[in-house]
Amino acid sequence: MDRLRTNFHTNTTIERCDTCTVRHRAVCGALSKEELGYLNRLARHKKVPAGQVIMSDEEPADFVGIINSGAIKLTKTLADGRQQIVGLQFASDFLGRAYNSRNAYFAEAATDVEICSFLREDFEALLKQFPDLENRLFQNTLNELDAAREWMLLLGRKTAQEKVASFLLMLAQKSSLLGCGHSETVKFATFTLPITRTDMADYLGLTIETVSRQITRLKSRKIISITGNREFLVPDMSALTEVAGQDQPLDD
Amino acid sequence: MDRLRTNFHTNTTIERCDTCTVRHRAVCGALSKEELGYLNRLARHKKVPAGQVIMSDEEPADFVGIINSGAIKLTKTLADGRQQIVGLQFASDFLGRAYNSRNAYFAEAATDVEICSFLREDFEALLKQFPDLENRLFQNTLNELDAAREWMLLLGRKTAQEKVASFLLMLAQKSSLLGCGHSETVKFATFTLPITRTDMADYLGLTIETVSRQITRLKSRKIISITGNREFLVPDMSALTEVAGQDQPLDD
DNA sequence: CGACATGTTGAACCTCATCAACCGACGTGG
DNA sequence: CCACGTCGGTTGATGAGGTTCAACATGTCG
C-alpha cells in the first residue's frame, strides 16, 4: 500500500494492474488475468497537478488513459474566450480518443489527477487483439454519448435553478452509487464538490454569480446544506430530483 | 429503377444493397461485395411519414437502421413539455443503439423518411461476424459524440444569432460537401431547409419567435437570402462562418 | 501581515421568452 | 365557391431570468 503510493511519484514506474482499484469499473475490466499482463507492460502511471492541460485540440494526442483518481474536464472554447465544459471525467473513466489523434477539445486536470496511460498505438493494437476490450470501450462511448445528449437537454432547456440542482443530483447519485449497491432507494447523500464554482458555471452554461445565487437559494429552500463551501449534504434526494426537473418519458 | 421505387411501398420487399445510393457513406460501406449478401437478406425497407415516432424511450426498440432519405430528429422532453432535439440525422446516418434496447430518447421522422432497417439481434450478430462493420459503427459513434459536444458549446455559450448562423452553416457545409469533393474552398452555397422553424428552435434551445427574428436579421445583414421560406442561399460562406462565431483552437 | 484566489451579494442592464396579433397557404366541408 | 379552421411563419410589446459590473467576504500561502 505504501510502496504503491511512492510509485506514483516516480512517474515512470508501472503499477500492477491486478491491484488496481478502478480496474473492475474501467474498460480494462474486460480483460482476463492473463491478458492483463499485456496491459501491465504497456501501462505508465502519471500524476498531473490541478490546472494542467493534458490534451490539447491543437497538437495530436499520442496517448490514451484511464483515470485512477481526481477529475478531468473536457473543454471547448470560442474565439473570444467563452468556455464550455463538454465532459467531466472521474476515476475509472476512459480518457482520449482511439483511432484518431486529433482531439476536438481540451482535457485539463480539474483536480490533482492520477492517470494510467498508454501510447495510443499500443492501445489500438490491444483493441485489435482483444475484441472484448474494444467492445467495452464501444459501450463506454455509447454511454458517453447518452450523457452528452442528456446534458444538451439541460443546456438548452433547463432553468439556472434546475441546472444547478441537476448537477448536484448527479454528484449525489454518483457518491451513493459508490457507497452501496442499491442506489435507487437511498434517501439522503453527502459528497464533496470536486470542482470550483467557475468550472460548475462552465459546465452548466452559466456565470459563477448565477451558480452562487442558485446554490444559496437551494440552501435557503432546505434542499441542500453545505459546510465549508465544498461539503454537500442532500437530506432528501427526491426533493432535489424534483427541483432538478429530471426528464421524464412522456406518454402519448 | 422503377421496379425499385415500387418496392418501397410494399414495406416487406428487400432492396438490393449493391444498388443502394448511400451505401458507400453508411456503415455498411465497410462490407465487401460478398458480405453484403448477408445484409441483403436481413434488410427491410420502411417508409415513414413525417411526424411519426420511430423509436420511443419507453418501449424497447427491437430494430436499428440506416437512413436512405429524409431527416430524423432525436428528441428529449422534460415533464412539462419543454423539448430539446439532441440529434438530427440524414441520409446514410445510422439509427438506433446497438447492444441496448433501451433508448434514451425519441426518434421521430422530421420529414418523410426511408429507412433500411434490421432486427437488432440480427444486426448485432453481423457486428460480431464482421469486425470491420463494428469498427465502422464505433467510429460513427465517436463522430456523433464529437458532434454532440460541439452542440453543447453552442447550447451553453452561443448567442441566439450565433446559434442560428451555426445551424445554417452546418447545412450549407453539408450541401456543398455533397456537391463536390473540395469542400473547403467553396465561396457560396444553396440548400433547402429540411425542418420547420419549430424544430430549429428545439434544436438550438430557443423559441420559434427568436429563430424567426434572427433569420430576418441575417437576411437584412445580407448574410443569407431566402426564397419561399425554405430555399436558402449563402453568398459568402466566410461571412456566415464569422457570424457563427465558430470555435477556434486557442493558443496558450 | 499582505497578496491572491475563490466565493457571495447587490444593482443595473440586456437578451431572449412570453403573450398576442397577424399573414399566407392549404385543405375541407357546407 | 367561399367560409372556416389549421399550420407554419413573422412581427410587435412587455417583462423576467440571467449577465455584467462592482464591492465585499473568506480562506490560504508566501
Side-chain angles (χ1 to χ4, degrees), chain A residues 196 198 229-230:
Chain A
T196 65
T198 305
N229 257 343
R230 286 294 183 93

CSV table of all heavy atoms in Angstrom, one decimal, chain A residues 196 198 229-230, chain C residues 2-7, chain D residues 23-29:
chain,number,residue,atom,x,y,z
A,196,THR,N,-14.5,23.7,-8.9
A,196,THR,CA,-14.7,25.1,-8.4
A,196,THR,C,-16.1,25.6,-9.0
A,196,THR,O,-16.6,25.0,-9.9
A,196,THR,CB,-13.6,26.0,-8.9
A,196,THR,OG1,-13.7,26.1,-10.4
A,196,THR,CG2,-12.3,25.6,-8.5
A,198,THR,N,-16.4,28.2,-10.8
A,198,THR,CA,-16.1,28.6,-12.2
A,198,THR,C,-16.3,27.4,-13.1
A,198,THR,O,-17.0,27.5,-14.1
A,198,THR,CB,-14.6,29.1,-12.3
A,198,THR,OG1,-14.4,30.1,-11.4
A,198,THR,CG2,-14.4,29.6,-13.7
A,229,ASN,N,-18.1,25.3,2.1
A,229,ASN,CA,-18.1,25.6,0.6
A,229,ASN,C,-18.0,24.4,-0.3
A,229,ASN,O,-18.3,24.4,-1.5
A,229,ASN,CB,-17.0,26.5,0.3
A,229,ASN,CG,-17.5,27.9,0.0
A,229,ASN,OD1,-18.7,28.1,-0.2
A,229,ASN,ND2,-16.6,28.9,0.1
A,230,ARG,N,-17.5,23.3,0.3
A,230,ARG,CA,-17.3,22.1,-0.6
A,230,ARG,C,-18.0,20.8,-0.2
A,230,ARG,O,-18.2,19.9,-0.9
A,230,ARG,CB,-15.8,21.8,-0.8
A,230,ARG,CG,-15.1,22.8,-1.7
A,230,ARG,CD,-15.5,22.7,-3.1
A,230,ARG,NE,-14.8,23.6,-4.0
A,230,ARG,CZ,-13.7,23.2,-4.7
A,230,ARG,NH1,-13.2,22.0,-4.5
A,230,ARG,NH2,-13.1,24.1,-5.4
C,2,DG,P,-0.9,44.7,6.4
C,2,DG,OP1,-0.4,46.1,6.4
C,2,DG,OP2,-2.3,44.4,6.8
C,2,DG,O5',-0.6,44.1,4.9
C,2,DG,C5',0.7,44.2,4.4
C,2,DG,C4',0.8,43.3,3.2
C,2,DG,O4',0.6,42.0,3.5
C,2,DG,C3',-0.1,43.7,2.0
C,2,DG,O3',0.6,43.5,0.8
C,2,DG,C2',-1.3,42.7,2.2
C,2,DG,C1',-0.5,41.5,2.7
C,2,DG,N9,-1.2,40.5,3.5
C,2,DG,C8,-2.1,40.8,4.5
C,2,DG,N7,-2.6,39.7,5.0
C,2,DG,C5,-2.0,38.7,4.4
C,2,DG,C6,-2.2,37.3,4.5
C,2,DG,O6,-2.9,36.7,5.3
C,2,DG,N1,-1.4,36.6,3.6
C,2,DG,C2,-0.6,37.1,2.7
C,2,DG,N2,0.1,36.3,1.9
C,2,DG,N3,-0.4,38.4,2.5
C,2,DG,C4,-1.2,39.1,3.4
C,3,DA,P,0.0,44.1,-0.6
C,3,DA,OP1,1.0,44.9,-1.2
C,3,DA,OP2,-1.4,44.6,-0.3
C,3,DA,O5',-0.1,42.7,-1.4
C,3,DA,C5',1.0,41.8,-1.4
C,3,DA,C4',0.5,40.5,-2.1
C,3,DA,O4',-0.2,39.7,-1.2
C,3,DA,C3',-0.4,40.8,-3.3
C,3,DA,O3',0.0,39.9,-4.4
C,3,DA,C2',-1.8,40.4,-2.8
C,3,DA,C1',-1.4,39.3,-1.8
C,3,DA,N9,-2.4,39.2,-0.6
C,3,DA,C8,-3.0,40.3,0.0
C,3,DA,N7,-3.8,39.9,1.0
C,3,DA,C5,-3.6,38.5,1.0
C,3,DA,C6,-4.2,37.5,1.8
C,3,DA,N6,-5.0,37.7,2.8
C,3,DA,N1,-3.8,36.2,1.5
C,3,DA,C2,-3.0,36.0,0.5
C,3,DA,N3,-2.4,36.8,-0.3
C,3,DA,C4,-2.8,38.1,0.0
C,4,DC,P,-0.7,40.1,-5.8
C,4,DC,OP1,0.4,40.0,-6.8
C,4,DC,OP2,-1.6,41.2,-5.8
C,4,DC,O5',-1.6,38.7,-6.0
C,4,DC,C5',-1.0,37.5,-5.6
C,4,DC,C4',-2.1,36.5,-5.4
C,4,DC,O4',-2.8,36.7,-4.1
C,4,DC,C3',-3.2,36.6,-6.5
C,4,DC,O3',-3.4,35.4,-7.2
C,4,DC,C2',-4.5,37.0,-5.7
C,4,DC,C1',-4.2,36.4,-4.3
C,4,DC,N1,-4.9,37.1,-3.2
C,4,DC,C2,-5.3,36.3,-2.1
C,4,DC,O2,-5.1,35.1,-2.1
C,4,DC,N3,-6.0,36.9,-1.1
C,4,DC,C4,-6.2,38.3,-1.1
C,4,DC,N4,-6.8,38.8,-0.1
C,4,DC,C5,-5.8,39.1,-2.3
C,4,DC,C6,-5.1,38.5,-3.2
C,5,DA,P,-4.4,35.3,-8.4
C,5,DA,OP1,-3.6,34.8,-9.6
C,5,DA,OP2,-5.2,36.5,-8.5
C,5,DA,O5',-5.3,34.0,-8.0
C,5,DA,C5',-4.7,33.0,-7.2
C,5,DA,C4',-5.8,32.2,-6.5
C,5,DA,O4',-6.3,33.0,-5.4
C,5,DA,C3',-7.0,32.0,-7.4
C,5,DA,O3',-7.5,30.7,-7.2
C,5,DA,C2',-8.0,33.0,-6.9
C,5,DA,C1',-7.7,33.1,-5.4
C,5,DA,N9,-8.0,34.4,-4.8
C,5,DA,C8,-7.7,35.7,-5.3
C,5,DA,N7,-8.1,36.6,-4.5
C,5,DA,C5,-8.7,36.0,-3.4
C,5,DA,C6,-9.3,36.4,-2.3
C,5,DA,N6,-9.5,37.7,-2.0
C,5,DA,N1,-9.8,35.5,-1.4
C,5,DA,C2,-9.6,34.2,-1.7
C,5,DA,N3,-9.1,33.7,-2.8
C,5,DA,C4,-8.6,34.6,-3.6
C,6,DT,P,-8.7,30.1,-8.0
C,6,DT,OP1,-8.4,28.7,-8.3
C,6,DT,OP2,-9.0,31.0,-9.1
C,6,DT,O5',-10.0,30.1,-7.0
C,6,DT,C5',-9.9,29.4,-5.8
C,6,DT,C4',-11.1,29.8,-5.0
C,6,DT,O4',-11.0,31.1,-4.5
C,6,DT,C3',-12.5,29.7,-5.7
C,6,DT,O3',-13.3,28.8,-5.0
C,6,DT,C2',-13.0,31.1,-5.8
C,6,DT,C1',-12.3,31.7,-4.5
C,6,DT,N1,-12.2,33.2,-4.6
C,6,DT,C2,-12.7,33.9,-3.5
C,6,DT,O2,-13.2,33.4,-2.5
C,6,DT,N3,-12.5,35.3,-3.6
C,6,DT,C4,-11.9,35.9,-4.6
C,6,DT,O4,-11.8,37.2,-4.6
C,6,DT,C5,-11.4,35.1,-5.7
C,6,DT,C7,-10.8,35.7,-6.9
C,6,DT,C6,-11.6,33.8,-5.6
C,7,DG,P,-14.7,28.4,-5.6
C,7,DG,OP1,-15.1,27.0,-5.1
C,7,DG,OP2,-14.8,28.7,-7.0
C,7,DG,O5',-15.7,29.4,-4.8
C,7,DG,C5',-15.8,29.3,-3.4
C,7,DG,C4',-16.6,30.5,-2.9
C,7,DG,O4',-15.9,31.7,-3.2
C,7,DG,C3',-18.0,30.6,-3.5
C,7,DG,O3',-19.0,30.6,-2.5
C,7,DG,C2',-18.0,32.0,-4.2
C,7,DG,C1',-16.9,32.7,-3.4
C,7,DG,N9,-16.3,33.8,-4.2
C,7,DG,C8,-15.6,33.8,-5.3
C,7,DG,N7,-15.1,35.0,-5.7
C,7,DG,C5,-15.6,35.8,-4.8
C,7,DG,C6,-15.5,37.2,-4.6
C,7,DG,O6,-14.9,38.0,-5.4
C,7,DG,N1,-16.1,37.7,-3.5
C,7,DG,C2,-16.8,37.0,-2.6
C,7,DG,N2,-17.4,37.6,-1.6
C,7,DG,N3,-16.9,35.6,-2.7
C,7,DG,C4,-16.3,35.2,-3.8
D,23,DA,P,-16.4,49.4,-7.1
D,23,DA,OP1,-16.4,50.9,-7.1
D,23,DA,OP2,-15.2,48.6,-7.6
D,23,DA,O5',-16.8,48.8,-5.7
D,23,DA,C5',-18.2,49.0,-5.2
D,23,DA,C4',-18.5,48.0,-4.2
D,23,DA,O4',-18.6,46.7,-4.8
D,23,DA,C3',-17.3,47.8,-3.1
D,23,DA,O3',-17.9,48.0,-1.8
D,23,DA,C2',-16.7,46.5,-3.4
D,23,DA,C1',-17.9,45.7,-4.0
D,23,DA,N9,-17.5,44.6,-4.8
D,23,DA,C8,-16.6,44.6,-5.8
D,23,DA,N7,-16.5,43.4,-6.4
D,23,DA,C5,-17.3,42.6,-5.6
D,23,DA,C6,-17.6,41.2,-5.7
D,23,DA,N6,-17.1,40.4,-6.6
D,23,DA,N1,-18.5,40.7,-4.9
D,23,DA,C2,-19.1,41.5,-4.0
D,23,DA,N3,-18.9,42.8,-3.8
D,23,DA,C4,-18.0,43.3,-4.7
D,24,DC,P,-16.9,48.0,-0.5
D,24,DC,OP1,-17.5,49.0,0.4
D,24,DC,OP2,-15.5,48.1,-0.9
D,24,DC,O5',-17.1,46.6,0.1
D,24,DC,C5',-18.5,46.0,0.2
D,24,DC,C4',-18.4,44.5,0.5
D,24,DC,O4',-17.9,43.8,-0.7
D,24,DC,C3',-17.3,44.2,1.6
D,24,DC,O3',-18.0,43.5,2.6
D,24,DC,C2',-16.3,43.3,0.8
D,24,DC,C1',-17.1,42.8,-0.3
D,24,DC,N1,-16.3,42.3,-1.5
D,24,DC,C2,-16.4,41.0,-1.9
D,24,DC,O2,-17.2,40.2,-1.3
D,24,DC,N3,-15.7,40.6,-3.0
D,24,DC,C4,-14.9,41.4,-3.6
D,24,DC,N4,-14.2,41.0,-4.6
D,24,DC,C5,-14.7,42.8,-3.2
D,24,DC,C6,-15.5,43.2,-2.1
D,25,DA,P,-17.3,43.2,4.0
D,25,DA,OP1,-18.2,43.6,5.1
D,25,DA,OP2,-15.9,43.7,3.9
D,25,DA,O5',-17.2,41.6,4.0
D,25,DA,C5',-18.3,40.8,3.7
D,25,DA,C4',-17.9,39.4,3.5
D,25,DA,O4',-17.3,39.3,2.2
D,25,DA,C3',-17.0,38.9,4.6
D,25,DA,O3',-17.5,37.7,5.1
D,25,DA,C2',-15.7,38.7,3.8
D,25,DA,C1',-16.1,38.4,2.4
D,25,DA,N9,-15.2,38.8,1.3
D,25,DA,C8,-14.7,40.1,1.1
D,25,DA,N7,-13.9,40.1,0.0
D,25,DA,C5,-13.9,38.8,-0.4
D,25,DA,C6,-13.2,38.1,-1.5
D,25,DA,N6,-12.4,38.8,-2.3
D,25,DA,N1,-13.4,36.8,-1.6
D,25,DA,C2,-14.2,36.2,-0.8
D,25,DA,N3,-14.9,36.7,0.3
D,25,DA,C4,-14.7,38.0,0.4
D,26,DT,P,-16.9,37.1,6.4
D,26,DT,OP1,-18.0,36.5,7.2
D,26,DT,OP2,-15.9,38.0,7.0
D,26,DT,O5',-16.0,35.8,5.9
D,26,DT,C5',-16.6,35.0,4.8
D,26,DT,C4',-15.4,34.1,4.3
D,26,DT,O4',-14.7,34.9,3.3
D,26,DT,C3',-14.4,33.7,5.3
D,26,DT,O3',-14.4,32.3,5.3
D,26,DT,C2',-13.1,34.2,4.8
D,26,DT,C1',-13.4,34.4,3.3
D,26,DT,N1,-12.6,35.5,2.6
D,26,DT,C2,-11.8,35.1,1.5
D,26,DT,O2,-11.8,33.9,1.1
D,26,DT,N3,-11.1,36.1,0.9
D,26,DT,C4,-11.1,37.4,1.3
D,26,DT,O4,-10.4,38.2,0.7
D,26,DT,C5,-11.8,37.7,2.5
D,26,DT,C7,-11.8,39.1,3.0
D,26,DT,C6,-12.5,36.8,3.1
D,27,DG,P,-13.5,31.5,6.4
D,27,DG,OP1,-14.3,30.3,6.9
D,27,DG,OP2,-12.9,32.4,7.4
D,27,DG,O5',-12.4,30.9,5.5
D,27,DG,C5',-12.7,30.4,4.2
D,27,DG,C4',-11.4,30.1,3.5
D,27,DG,O4',-10.9,31.3,2.8
D,27,DG,C3',-10.2,29.6,4.4
D,27,DG,O3',-9.6,28.5,3.7
D,27,DG,C2',-9.3,30.8,4.5
D,27,DG,C1',-9.5,31.5,3.2
D,27,DG,N9,-9.3,32.9,3.1
D,27,DG,C8,-9.7,33.9,4.0
D,27,DG,N7,-9.3,35.1,3.8
D,27,DG,C5,-8.6,34.9,2.6
D,27,DG,C6,-7.9,35.9,1.8
D,27,DG,O6,-7.8,37.1,2.0
D,27,DG,N1,-7.2,35.3,0.7
D,27,DG,C2,-7.2,34.0,0.4
D,27,DG,N2,-6.6,33.6,-0.7
D,27,DG,N3,-7.9,33.1,1.1
D,27,DG,C4,-8.5,33.6,2.2
D,28,DT,P,-8.5,27.6,4.4
D,28,DT,OP1,-9.0,26.2,4.3
D,28,DT,OP2,-8.3,28.2,5.7
D,28,DT,O5',-7.3,27.8,3.5
D,28,DT,C5',-7.4,28.0,2.1
D,28,DT,C4',-6.1,28.5,1.5
D,28,DT,O4',-6.1,29.9,1.5
D,28,DT,C3',-4.9,28.0,2.2
D,28,DT,O3',-3.9,27.6,1.3
D,28,DT,C2',-4.4,29.2,3.0
D,28,DT,C1',-4.8,30.3,2.0
D,28,DT,N1,-5.0,31.7,2.6
D,28,DT,C2,-4.5,32.7,2.0
D,28,DT,O2,-3.9,32.7,0.9
D,28,DT,N3,-4.7,34.0,2.6
D,28,DT,C4,-5.3,34.2,3.8
D,28,DT,O4,-5.4,35.3,4.2
D,28,DT,C5,-5.8,33.0,4.4
D,28,DT,C7,-6.6,33.1,5.7
D,28,DT,C6,-5.6,31.8,3.8
D,29,DC,P,-2.7,26.6,1.7
D,29,DC,OP1,-2.9,25.3,0.9
D,29,DC,OP2,-2.6,26.6,3.1
D,29,DC,O5',-1.5,27.3,1.1
D,29,DC,C5',-1.6,28.1,-0.1
D,29,DC,C4',-0.5,29.2,-0.1
D,29,DC,O4',-0.9,30.4,0.5
D,29,DC,C3',0.8,28.7,0.6
D,29,DC,O3',1.9,29.0,-0.1
D,29,DC,C2',0.7,29.5,1.9
D,29,DC,C1',0.0,30.8,1.4
D,29,DC,N1,-0.6,31.6,2.5
D,29,DC,C2,-0.7,33.0,2.4
D,29,DC,O2,-0.1,33.6,1.4
D,29,DC,N3,-1.3,33.7,3.4
D,29,DC,C4,-1.8,33.1,4.4
D,29,DC,N4,-2.4,33.8,5.3
D,29,DC,C5,-1.8,31.7,4.5
D,29,DC,C6,-1.2,31.0,3.5
